Amino acid sequence: ARTRRGAALKPAKQRLAKAERAWEKAEHRVAELQAQLADPDVYADADKVKELVARHDAAKTVASEAMSEWEIPAAALEDDER
């Protein structure tokens, strides 16, 4: 019974791992853009600042969506493991 249950959980664990990698990648991109925005020299170019802020906002949205996508299989696994 335990082996069957483990096999049944395998697809959910794979979805969770995939979602976690996507979330980590998205968070890494947010951090990269934050580092660029932390550079005082960037602010000498208003157009570059606007572009970076827009890219940063978009990256935060992607990271938030990735987190939401991670929460779905995480919650399902948590329920299944109880």
Side-chain angles (χ1 to χ4, degrees):
R2 178 171 240 173
T3 304
R4 194 175 327 166
R5 184 172 178 207
L9 293 177
K10 187 174 181 178
K13 288 181 179 181
Q14 289 172 334
R15 282 192 305 275
L16 181 64
K18 183 178 178 181
E20 189 167 354
R21 285 189 302 274
W23 183 19
E24 288 172 352
K25 183 179 176 182
E27 287 292 341
H28 180 74
R29 183 66 184 140
V30 170
E32 287 177 337
L33 291 164
Q34 285 173 334
Q36 290 179 39
L37 287 166
D39 180 356
D41 294 336
V42 167
Y43 293 90
D45 183 344
D47 289 336
K48 182 163 180 116
V49 172
K50 281 170 94 172
E51 176 195 337
L52 282 174
V53 168
R55 288 171 46 204
H56 181 251
D57 288 345
K60 289 192 305 184
T61 298
V62 169
S64 177
E65 290 169 355
M67 182 184 71
S68 294
E69 288 297 317
W70 172 85
E71 289 173 336
I72 295 166
L77 272 175
E78 187 176 306
D79 289 345
D80 286 345
E81 290 178 347
R82 285 187 191 161

